[in-house]
């Protein structure tokens, strides 16, 4: 990401440590973990390598900060974010872990059982880093039980103290020193400051000063002047600093950092030869799902669900899935840099079928794969190798040790395939979808490509794709919170779901991800940040119906932590990638 004609060039790695604490035993907060999770997702989308912590004890916070500081490299763009409780003591600010109530009983405990914000800032703002951005959304009201034991600690309503920004640092408070920040209320998912930060953080080619100024203005406006964010900067760089630089004239170079966000979906099929072949999993024409169908509300884990990890019974931020005829589930296991499949009758362990040789760019390696298709004709997988900026083909025959390059130098994020064996690729950098004959390098524009906005000829972070038998392309237009349908040859798309702003009403979507269209033209969408799957029947574009989920963020059998891909098998059973729980759930049709 560094600077080319005033924008950041691709030289700077972007790394972030994001922590949200809310489960305090005596004074819990409502939205801090949501704030951290949502910001982490937003940062991954724009190329940050994110370390995420939620409800951390003091030791866990200290370890996260130390490990993160050790990994900072020369010329990195560094970001630190904390949401939770904080307070000032003797003109120093302290970030509170969730065990603060148990550990801090008197004044002498403070330094040893909380995190000194100034010391953390200084440890992360290495003189060799490019820029350090330090964000504190922790100016909430906090009091220990017996304030008589804390003579140096400010009382309720004091907020945080001013801080010194070392060279090359931007320090951002959610509110002015000595005042309090709103944690959000009612049905708000996020605190006031972070809600507006999420809206601005990924704006392309926006200088960081303008990003934080815009956030501050919106917070001040919504709070009716009660909350005024405060910023201190000691950055002395004579160039624009962009968090999401996009240079249309330069070739995109994949960052080694990652993006967990919209993970892939798609269960289609490609191949090198031009020969009609039904895609997998199930093209829209072959999944005959009744209009009044219902599904079990409790899902069954068919892959993962054993925590985040790299064992064969675990997943690490799965991105999408493809369901074969025999109900074998094939998953791009993004952060494990592998493709893993789980047989129908063996949900205990998966089998690695591609990659698993560590993160890298050799043909026997993958780098954060985000999508996979099954090509029946050549008995191979087609893999979107996002981190390497390429699409590769990998034989399903046992003994295969490496893939074959199909397309390189491509900003591939999601894949789909039609029955004429054209490959479709969503490109979140150029906000477009292109169609390729395999072997072709440039492709044909079929959706978007007119800048990042909400016009009918535009897309804003196109992610998941689905292609029907008429070669109509359905696109999850994530940041516009809508699903678009682009008929073959059309210059504009049609809104077929959402498009009513970001929200959780049945007329709205919130970061739509996976898509599926059945034989009747009924659309199913993984409504990611609403943690639900919602269904639009043909002709009803105003309001959808929740078919599974919608039961808050969680790990229960009827809950999700950010949906990614979804698909159906030939019997109409629904499969959903539950990214935050590192699992795939199957919901049986009733």
């Amino acid at each position: 990401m560094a600077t080319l004609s005033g924008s950041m060039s691709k030289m700077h790695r972007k790394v972030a440590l994001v922590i949200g604490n809310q489960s305090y035993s005596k004074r819990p907060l409502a939205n801090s973990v949501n704030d951290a999770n949502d910001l982490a997702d937003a940062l991954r989308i724009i190329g940050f390598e994110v370390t995420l912590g939620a409800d951390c004890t003091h030791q866990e916070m200290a370890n996260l900060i130390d490990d993160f500081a050790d990994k900072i490299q020369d010329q990195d763009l560094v970001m630190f974010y904390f949401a939770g409780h904080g307070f000032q003591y003797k003109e120093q600010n302290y970030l509170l872990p969730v065990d603060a109530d148990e550990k801090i009983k008197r004044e002498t405990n403070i330094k040893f059982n909380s995190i000194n914000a100034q010391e953390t800032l200084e440890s992360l703002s290495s003189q060799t880093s490019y820029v350090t951005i330090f964000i504190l959304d922790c100016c909430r009201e906090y009091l220990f039980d017996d304030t008589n034991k804390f003579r140096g600690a400010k009382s309720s309503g004091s907020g945080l103290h001013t801080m010194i920004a070392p060279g090359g640092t931007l320090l951002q408070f959610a509110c002015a020193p000595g005042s309090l920040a709103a944690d959000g209320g009612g049905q708000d998912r996020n605190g006031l400051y972070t809600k507006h930060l999420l809206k601005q953080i990924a704006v392309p080619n926006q200088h960081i000063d303008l990003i934080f100024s815009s956030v501050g203005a919106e917070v001040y406006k919504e709070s009716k002047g009660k909350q005024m964010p405060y910023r201190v900067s000691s950055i002395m760089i004579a160039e624009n600093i962009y968090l999401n630089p996009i240079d249309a004239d330069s070739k995109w170079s994949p960052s080694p950092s990652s993006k967990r966000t919209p993970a892939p979906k798609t269960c289609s099929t490609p191949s090198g030869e031009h020969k009609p072949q039904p895609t997998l999993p199930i093209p829209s024409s072959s999944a005959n799902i009744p209009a009044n169908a219902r599904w079990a509300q409790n899902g069954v884990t068919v892959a993962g669900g054993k925590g985040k990890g790299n064992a064969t019974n675990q997943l690490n931020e799965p991105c999408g899935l493809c369901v074969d005829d025999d109900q074998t589930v094939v998953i791009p296991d993004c952060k494990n840099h592998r493709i893993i499949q789980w047989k129908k009758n063996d949900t205990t362990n998966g089998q690695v079928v591609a990659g698993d040789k560590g993160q890298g760019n050799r043909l026997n390696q993958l780098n954060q794969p985000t999508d996979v298709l099954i090509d029946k004709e050549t008995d191979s997988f087609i893999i979107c190798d996002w981190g390497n900026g390429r699409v590769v083909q990998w034989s399903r025959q046992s003994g295969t040790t490496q893939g074959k390059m199909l397309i390189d130098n491509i900003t591939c994020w999601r894949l789909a395939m039609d029955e004429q064996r054209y490959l479709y690729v969503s490109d979140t950098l150029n906000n477009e979808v292109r169609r390729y004959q395999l072997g072709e390098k440039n492709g044909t524009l079929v959706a978007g490509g007119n800048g990042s906005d909400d016009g009918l000829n535009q897309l804003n972070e196109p992610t998941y794709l689905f292609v029907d038998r008429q070669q109509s392309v359905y696109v999850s237009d994530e940041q516009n919170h809508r699903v678009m349908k682009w008929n073959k040859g059309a210059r504009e798309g049609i809104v077929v779901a959402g498009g009513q702003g970001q929200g959780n009403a049945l007329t709205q979507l919130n970061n739509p991800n996976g898509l599926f269209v059945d034989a009747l033209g009924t659309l199913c969408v993984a409504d990611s940040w609403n943690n639900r799957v919602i269904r639009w029947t043909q002709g009803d574009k105003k309001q959808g119906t929740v078919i599974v989920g919608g039961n808050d963020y969680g790990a229960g059998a009827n809950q999700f932590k950010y949906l990614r891909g979804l698909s159906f098998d030939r019997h109409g059973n629904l499969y959903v990638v539950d990214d935050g729980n590192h699992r795939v759930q199957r919901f049986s049709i009733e």
Side-chain angles (χ1 to χ4, degrees), residues 42-95:
L43 291 173
R44 288 186 180 104
I45 290 175
I46 60 175
F48 273 80
E49 179 180 341
V50 180
T51 300
L52 177 63
D55 281 338
C56 300
T57 64
H58 174 256
Q59 188 61 58
E60 290 167 342
M61 283 185 70
N63 290 343
L64 279 174
I65 292 167
D66 288 344
D67 291 346
F68 181 70
D70 289 343
K71 293 176 182 178
I72 295 174
Q73 300 174 11
D74 188 34
Q75 291 299 298
D76 278 353
L77 189 155
V78 179
M79 181 180 290
F80 174 84
Y81 169 92
F82 176 75
H85 276 309
F87 78 112
Q88 55 171 298
Y89 168 71
K90 293 186 177 179
E91 299 186 345
Q92 288 287 311
N93 294 324
Y94 291 89
L95 314 181

Side-chain angles (χ1 to χ4, degrees), residues 269-405:
T269 296
S271 160
E273 278 120 65
H274 182 76
K275 182 177 180 181
Q277 174 73 30
T279 59
L280 288 173
I282 315 105
S284 60
S285 58
S286 61
N288 293 303
I289 301 173
N292 62 349
R294 296 173 61 86
W295 287 263
Q297 293 303 292
N298 288 334
V300 174
T301 301
V302 296
K306 302 295 183 181
K308 177 179 178 180
N310 61 5
T312 56
N313 67 344
Q314 294 178 303
L315 298 169
N316 187 349
E317 295 185 13
C319 281
L321 81 165
C322 194
V323 184
D324 205 349
D325 291 337
D326 61 359
Q327 296 179 302
T328 294
V329 179
V330 186
I331 304 162
D333 190 8
C334 184
K335 290 300 185 65
N336 284 325
H337 314 292
R338 67 188 183 184
I339 306 297
I340 189 167
Q341 70 178 17
W342 297 66
K343 297 288 187 180
K344 176 184 176 182
N345 296 321
D346 183 7
T347 58
T348 303
N349 287 284
Q351 174 191 4
V352 178
V353 293
D356 205 32
K357 298 296 183 182
Q359 181 179 15
N361 61 9
R362 299 194 306 269
L363 284 175
N364 68 341
Q365 294 177 303
L366 298 171
N367 184 354
Q368 298 169 96
T370 54
D371 213 349
V372 62
L373 310 173
I374 300 174
D375 178 9
K376 287 278 189 164
E377 183 165 313
T378 60
D379 195 23
S380 63
F381 299 111
I382 307 297
I383 301 168
C384 180
D385 189 9
W386 173 80
N388 286 320
R390 67 190 183 187
V391 177
V392 296
Q393 186 175 33
W394 203 292
S395 174
R396 299 174 77 188
Q397 298 297 316
S398 61
T400 300
T401 58
Q402 68 179 40
K404 170 187 174 184
M405 184 83 71

